[in-house]
C-alpha cells in the first residue's frame, strides 16, 4: 500500500509539468535528436542481455544505460547499470535526465505463466509501470520501444494457423492484456502527441543459454539443456503444440534494425516478428539428431491452456515497410543453438540435414 501511494505521489508531483507540455507536443510533434543514448528497462532478461552488446557495436560503448529491479553480485555488465523498480517513476525520471537518454527500450515485465500466478503484481508492473515509462518518454521527448508479444492474441476470432498482423486480439492472460494496452497506448501517444513509438510483437524467444525466467514457452530452450544433462525431459505442453519462435540473436537484430529505421516508412506502430513455426514434438525429434538417447515425454500443465490461445504462426509486414528479412529452418535453428552451447562439445555433431 505504501509503495502504491509513493508511486501515485510520483505521478501527481509531475502532472502539472506534463499537462503544460501536451498542447505543444500535440501540435508540433517531436523527433529524437542527437546520437542515440538508450535506457533499457529489464536489461537482465533474455533479450536485454543480448541487445546491449549489439547496440554498443553499432553506436559505441557508452550508448546504453541498463536498469533492472535487482542485480546479482557476481554479474558483470558491459554498460552502466542502475537498480530500478519500474514502479518508482521519480527515480526513472532522474536516470533519464542525468544520462541524457533519448531512447527508452522497455522490457521490464512479469511474463505470461508467472503473471497468472500473481496477477495483481503483474498488473502493477506490466500496466502501471508501463504508464510511468510512457509519461517519462513523453516528458523527455524520447523515442520509445516497447516489447509486445504473441500473447496479445487470444479469443477465437483470428485464424490460429496463420494470424495476420491486424486480426482480432482478445487475450485471456494479464500479460497479454497488458501487451494490448501498450500497443493501443503507443498508437494513441503517437497520433495525439507525436511520440516516436515502436514495437515488435515477439514470438517465442529461444536461447543458447539457460535462464530462470519461466515464460509459457521456456520449454523451447529448456529441452536442449535437459537433453544434454539428463537425456530426458518432461514437457509441460503436448507434442502437437505449435508456436512461432525465433532465436534471441535474430530477435535482437530485428529490434536494432527497427530502432534505426526511418519512422516515415512505418505504416503502423506495432509489427509482428514471425520467426518460424514448429511443434514441441518436432523440436524433440530435431534434438535427437544430437542426443540420440534423448527421451521427451509430454505432460501438459496449466501452461498448455495459455499456449492454446496463441497463434501457431504469425504473418509479418516488416519486410515491405522497413526491410526486415528472416529465413531459417528448424534444423538450422537447432544447429545454431547446439553450436553455441558450451556442453555441445561433449555431444557428437551429426551431419546437417536441411
Amino acid at each position: 500500500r505504501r509503495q502504491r501511494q509513493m508511486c501515485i505521489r510520483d505521478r501527481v508531483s509531475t502532472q502539472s509539468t506534463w499537462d503544460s507540455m501536451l498542447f505543444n507536443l500535440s501540435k508540433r510533434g517531436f523527433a529524437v535528436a542527437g546520437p542515440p543514448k538508450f535506457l533499457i528497462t529489464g536489461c537482465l532478461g533474455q533479450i536485454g542481455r543480448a541487445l546491449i552488446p549489439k547496440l554498443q557495436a553499432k553506436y559505441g560503448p557508452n550508448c546504453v544505460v541498463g536498469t533492472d529491479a535487482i542485480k546479482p553480485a557476481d554479474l558483470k555488465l558491459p554498460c552502466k547499470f542502475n537498480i530500478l523498480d519500474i514502479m518508482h517513476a521519480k527515480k526513472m525520471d532522474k536516470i533519464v535526465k542525468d544520462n541524457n537518454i533519448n531512447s527508452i527500450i522497455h522490457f521490464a515485465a512479469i511474463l505470461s505463466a508467472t503473471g497468472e500466478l500473481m496477477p495483481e503484481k503483474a498488473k502493477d508492473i506490466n500496466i502501471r509501470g508501463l504508464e510511468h515509462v510512457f509519461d517519462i518518454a513523453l516528458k523527455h521527448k524520447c523515442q520509445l520501444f516497447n516489447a509486445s508479444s504473441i500473447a496479445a492474441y487470444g479469443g477465437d476470432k483470428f485464424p490460429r494457423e496463420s494470424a495476420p498482423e491486424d486480426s482480432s486480439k482478445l487475450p485471456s492472460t494479464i500479460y497479454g492484456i497488458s501487451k494490448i494496452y501498450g500497443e493501443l497506448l503507443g498508437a494513441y501517444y503517437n497520433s495525439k502527441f507525436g511520440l516516436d513509438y515502436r514495437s515488435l510483437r515477439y514470438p517465442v524467444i529461444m536461447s543458447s543459454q539457460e535462464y530462470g525466467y519461466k515464460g509459457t514457452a521456456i520449454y523451447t530452450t529448456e529441452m536442449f539443456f535437459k537433453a544434454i544433462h539428463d537425456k530426458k525431459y518432461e514437457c509441460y505442453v503436448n507434442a502437437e503444440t505449435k508456436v512461432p519462435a525465433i532465436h534471441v540473436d535474430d530477435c535482437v537484430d530485428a529490434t536494432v534494425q527497427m530502432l534505426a529505421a526511418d519512422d516515415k516508412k512505418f505504416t503502423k506502430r506495432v509489427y509482428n516478428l514471425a520467426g518460424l513455426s514448429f511443434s514441441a514434438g518436432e523440436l524433440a525429434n530435431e534434438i535427437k539428431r544430437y542426443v540420440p538417447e534423448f527421451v521427451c515425454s509430454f505432460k501438459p500443465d496449466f501452461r498448455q491452456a495459455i499456449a492454446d490461445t496463441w497463434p501457431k504462426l504469425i504473418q509479418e509486414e516488416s519486410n515491405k515497410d522497413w526491410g526486415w528479412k528472416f529465413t531459417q529452418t528448424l534444423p538450422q535453428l537447432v544447429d545454431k543453438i547446439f553450436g553455441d552451447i558450451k556442453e555441445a562439445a561433449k555431444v557428437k555433431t551429426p551431419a546437417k540435414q536441411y
Side-chain angles (χ1 to χ4, degrees), residues 206-338:
M206 298 173 67
S207 178
S208 305
Q209 299 182 46
E210 290 183 276
Y211 285 90
Y213 304 98
K214 297 298 182 182
T216 296
I218 193 64
Y219 71 87
T220 57
T221 294
E222 279 184 342
M223 196 179 290
F224 287 86
F225 293 93
K226 290 293 185 179
I228 292 171
H229 298 312
D230 303 332
K231 306 298 186 283
K232 62 181 180 180
Y233 180 58
E234 184 176 274
C235 186
Y236 50 81
V237 298
N238 63 45
E240 295 74 33
T241 299
K242 276 192 170 186
V243 294
I246 196 170
H247 191 277
V248 65
D249 289 349
D250 298 302
C251 169
V252 164
D253 287 343
T255 302
V256 171
Q257 186 172 334
M258 188 188 204
L259 286 166
D262 184 353
D263 182 76
K264 295 178 181 178
K265 294 183 178 180
F266 296 152
T267 58
K268 59 189 71 180
R269 308 319 303 178
V270 185
Y271 287 84
N272 281 348
L273 185 63
L276 64 154
S277 177
F278 53 85
S279 70
E282 289 170 337
L283 178 61
N285 288 334
E286 281 297 324
I287 289 174
K288 286 180 182 179
R289 291 197 291 117
Y290 282 82
V291 189
E293 64 272 37
F294 174 54
V295 176
C296 186
S297 58
F298 300 90
K299 187 179 180 180
D301 66 12
F302 75 98
R303 288 168 284 191
Q304 179 71 61
I306 298 175
D308 286 343
T309 68
W310 295 351
K312 297 178 181 180
L313 178 68
I314 52 177
Q315 301 172 21
E316 64 180 8
E317 299 175 16
S318 53
N319 181 282
K320 67 182 181 65
D321 282 4
W322 47 277
W324 167 249
K325 294 180 181 180
F326 175 82
T327 55
Q328 193 174 57
T329 65
L330 179 58
Q332 288 173 329
L333 178 59
V334 170
D335 286 343
K336 176 177 176 56
I337 291 177
F338 269 115

